[in-house]
Amino acid sequence: MFQKLDSLLFMAKYRLRAFLTDEEGDVNIVSMVVLIGIAVLLAIVFRDAIKNLINNLLATISGNATDAVNGD
């Protein structure tokens, strides 16, 4: 019985060590954080241009919707 428990303990230690030393996902997480940071910086830098673009798009959509309802 002690041999079986010893073997289970050894396997648990091995799997825990393998899990803690696995660095496969770290690069993906770092790259995602960097890309999100770049997107936020671009949004801050071009904030006024983005606002103008959205306002123009919404005005165009409203005008087209009004024209469609009025039948012009």
Side-chain angles (χ1 to χ4, degrees), residues 6-67:
D6 191 37
S7 137
L8 287 174
L9 181 62
F10 175 74
M11 285 302 293
K13 285 181 181 179
Y14 174 76
R15 288 185 182 182
L16 179 64
R17 182 174 291 137
F19 176 74
L20 292 177
T21 58
D22 182 23
E23 298 180 5
E24 186 174 318
D26 290 342
V27 175
N28 292 332
I29 292 172
V30 170
S31 64
M32 290 300 294
V33 169
V34 169
L35 288 175
I36 290 171
I38 290 171
V40 168
L41 285 174
L42 287 174
I44 290 171
V45 169
F46 295 108
R47 178 180 34 199
D48 294 332
I50 293 170
K51 282 182 187 178
N52 290 335
L53 175 66
I54 291 174
N55 287 335
N56 289 338
L57 287 174
L58 291 176
T60 303
I61 291 170
S62 304
N64 289 342
T66 304
D67 292 343

